[in-house]
């Protein structure tokens, strides 16, 4: 089962695919590292972002999307654009897709109980994908418990 981890920052959705097959994790080769929403983000731009995201999930046969949750207010609050992107992902109806939000506390406690089996530096992913990778890993573990 392939889980797509997502970190929403600014007007970008950083993605990382993580597959689990018979208890072994692997990283499917993915040509896309992030999807961006134009700065003016009109209705059409949001729809294009949603359609592009859905196409990517279909292409890689992703069943679950795990998004690192952003705080609505406070020092680490997410921006308005990232919440729009989150809504666009959650409202995809063209494909069967489970979207889960992972609060930072859940990520931290899951990683404490189940440390990453490999150092991030050894994955071959770009540094900016680390949070998305962690979200995908925690998403995989959460799906296994269900």
């Amino acid at each position: 089962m392939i889980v797509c981890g997502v970190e929403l920052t600014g007007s970008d959705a950083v993605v990382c695919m993580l597959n689990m097959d018979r208890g072994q994790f692997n990283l499917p080769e993915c040509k896309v590292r992030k999807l961006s929403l134009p700065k003016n983000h009109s209705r059409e731009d949001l729809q294009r972002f949603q359609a592009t995201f859905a196409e990517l999930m279909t292409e890689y046969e992703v069943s679950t999307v795990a998004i690192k949750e952003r705080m609505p207010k406070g020092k680490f609050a997410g921006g308005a654009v990232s919440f729009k992107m989150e809504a666009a992902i959650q409202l995809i109806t063209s494909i069967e897709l489970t979207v889960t939000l992972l609060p930072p506390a859940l990520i931290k406690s899951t990683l404490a109980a189940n440390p990453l089996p490999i150092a991030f530096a050894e994955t071959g992913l770009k540094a900016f994908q680390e949070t998305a990778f962690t979200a995908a890993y925690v998403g995989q573990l959460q799906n296994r418990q269900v």
Side-chain angles (χ1 to χ4, degrees):
M1 172 178 67
I2 298 177
V3 171
C4 177
V6 179
E7 177 189 22
L8 299 171
T9 59
S11 59
D12 296 325
V14 178
V15 298
C16 177
M17 309 290 179
L18 184 63
N19 186 28
M20 184 175 186
D21 186 26
R22 290 183 231 123
Q24 296 286 9
F25 290 106
N26 63 45
L27 295 164
E29 189 63 38
C30 184
K31 64 182 181 228
V32 177
R33 294 188 177 116
K34 67 180 171 180
L35 299 168
S36 298
L37 186 65
K39 296 289 182 212
N40 59 353
H41 56 276
S42 66
R43 179 176 187 260
E44 290 76 24
D45 291 334
L46 278 167
Q47 289 173 328
R48 195 173 311 111
F49 170 81
Q50 185 182 50
T52 303
F53 193 91
E55 286 171 21
L56 182 67
M57 298 301 104
T58 300
E59 181 178 343
Y60 289 95
E61 299 177 0
V62 172
S63 58
T64 302
V65 176
I67 301 174
K68 180 182 182 236
E69 186 177 52
R70 288 133 4 271
M71 300 296 104
K73 59 186 174 179
K75 183 178 179 182
F76 300 105
V81 175
S82 67
F83 287 105
K84 284 184 178 183
M85 293 178 359
E86 177 187 304
I89 293 169
Q90 287 179 318
L91 295 173
I92 291 174
T93 57
S94 58
I95 60 174
E96 184 66 33
L97 196 62
T98 302
V99 179
T100 58
L101 294 177
L102 302 172
L106 175 67
I107 292 173
K108 188 175 181 178
S109 66
T110 302
L111 289 174
N114 304 286
L116 289 168
I118 184 172
F120 179 76
E122 297 174 19
T123 64
L125 297 171
K126 299 292 183 187
F128 67 87
Q129 291 180 286
E130 186 170 4
T131 303
F133 171 72
T134 303
Y137 176 70
V138 172
Q140 280 283 8
L141 295 177
Q142 293 298 308
N143 280 340
R144 208 169 48 173
Q145 294 174 355
V146 174

